[in-house]
DNA sequence: TGTAATGTCTCTAGTGACTAGAGGTTCAAG
DNA sequence: CTTGAACCTCTAGTCACTAGAGACATTACA
């Protein structure tokens, strides 16, 4: 059994975040010492590692809730789990696509001005002011 | 002179968002009718278009504030403006990079399970539980 | 056993960029 | 002059935390 600080160190999740996850129902309420401090064991460590990993991959708290719910019922079909992962993947792909467009536009805008002139003639500012100066939709 | 609703329609920025921008100091306080309603002119329209465009490109409110500050001083060097745009570009590139890593990992995880089995044996859940099943750092 | 340092507790409030809703007022059309 | 849409301010909620206050618990060492 170890303290919340120890759990934090091992999972690299900050202490207040652990308490937050508990409040959100992602982590079961921890056992307490006589002095009301939380104590964790291997199970708690594994669950938090799961959460941490899923958050790193961009899953929302809500999605993680669902995944944990599924984990707790090993007899169910895992279709829902793959669905969640797939839709997360789609979201990531959509974000990448959008960011690529932004990258092109920003790169074009940045290149248009070397910063050596006055704001009066700055291509960056002009581009932002006038959408017509853009290459494509965004 | 036109109303906030009209401005919203022309710029495709929602009415409460316009009021929020005013509160944040991005937009100057609008003139008011005798009945206390906001009225805008061409200048207001142009400034809001600028903001909208910059937000679309992912600039933060703070960055936009700085850009507007620069816009208001046409006699200054535009170095700061290009700096802001460049750092925005760098941020976008960093995000893309990270998302690409996530994409690969998620795609690998998703492919590992067709959703036809039980959660007990689900590769998606196993991958999330155990970081060691991952291909690379993320 | 005493004490000091560090860790932990709960609670509230703040972040960014809005969005939603309540309850009231003003405007424009007919 | 009435009706109904648009407008006003204010508060609170979103997401996933983060920061800080003030009090209590635990641990290490003398």
């Amino acid at each position: 059994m170890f303290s919340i600080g120890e759990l934090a160190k091992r999972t690299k999740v900050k202490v207040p975040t652990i308490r937050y996850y508990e409040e959100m129902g992602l982590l079961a309420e921890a056992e307490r010492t006589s002095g009301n401090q939380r104590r964790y064991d291997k199970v708690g460590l594994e669950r938090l590692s799961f959460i941490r990993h899923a958050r790193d991959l961009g899953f929302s708290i809500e999605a993680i809730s669902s995944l944990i719910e599924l984990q707790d019922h090993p007899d169910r079909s895992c279709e829902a789990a793959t669905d969640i992962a797939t839709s997360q993947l789609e979201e990531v792909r959509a974000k990448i696509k959008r960011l690529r467009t932004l990258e092109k536009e920003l790169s074009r805008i940045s290149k248009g001005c070397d910063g050596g002139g006055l704001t009066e003639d700055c291509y960056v500012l002009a581009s932002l002011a006038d959408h017509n100066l853009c290459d494509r939709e965004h």
Side-chain angles (χ1 to χ4, degrees), chain A:
Chain A
M1 301 290 279
F2 40 86
S3 72
I4 196 168
E6 181 63 26
L7 181 65
K9 218 180 284 174
R10 293 203 206 176
T11 55
K12 280 159 202 157
V13 175
K14 286 178 190 157
V15 169
T17 306
I18 297 174
R19 291 198 273 251
Y20 169 77
Y21 287 161
E22 184 182 304
E23 200 173 82
M24 292 299 101
L26 287 191
L27 286 171
E29 287 189 25
E31 281 180 55
R32 302 285 182 131
T33 63
S34 57
N36 199 35
Q37 298 196 355
R38 291 169 180 83
R39 284 300 112 106
Y40 298 89
D41 58 8
K42 193 161 159 285
V43 174
L45 177 67
E46 279 167 7
R47 173 145 293 185
L48 184 53
S49 304
F50 178 96
I51 295 168
R52 165 87 217 256
H53 194 185
R55 284 293 303 136
D56 278 352
L57 287 166
F59 288 86
S60 70
I61 296 286
E62 209 195 329
I64 296 171
S65 262
S66 309
L67 290 170
I68 284 174
E69 164 83 1
L70 293 167
Q71 238 186 356
D72 287 345
H73 298 274
D75 53 320
R76 290 204 197 146
S77 153
C78 78
E79 208 188 331
T82 41
D83 280 358
I84 291 169
T86 306
S87 90
Q88 176 62 19
L89 176 57
E90 273 160 22
E91 264 175 53
V92 167
R93 286 190 172 142
K95 273 187 199 159
I96 291 173
K97 206 175 155 191
R98 169 156 169 75
L99 286 172
R100 282 242 187 83
T101 312
L102 294 192
E103 188 202 353
K104 277 178 207 143
E105 197 55 38
L106 279 168
S107 153
R108 205 183 51 77
I109 289 172
S110 288
K111 273 185 208 139
C113 183
D114 61 3
L118 297 180
T119 54
E120 204 171 13
D121 312 307
C122 179
Y123 185 66
V124 170
L125 293 175
S127 299
L128 289 171
D130 188 356
H131 204 136
N132 295 325
L133 292 175
C134 289
D135 255 3
R136 72 207 85 222
E137 283 312 307
H138 52 244

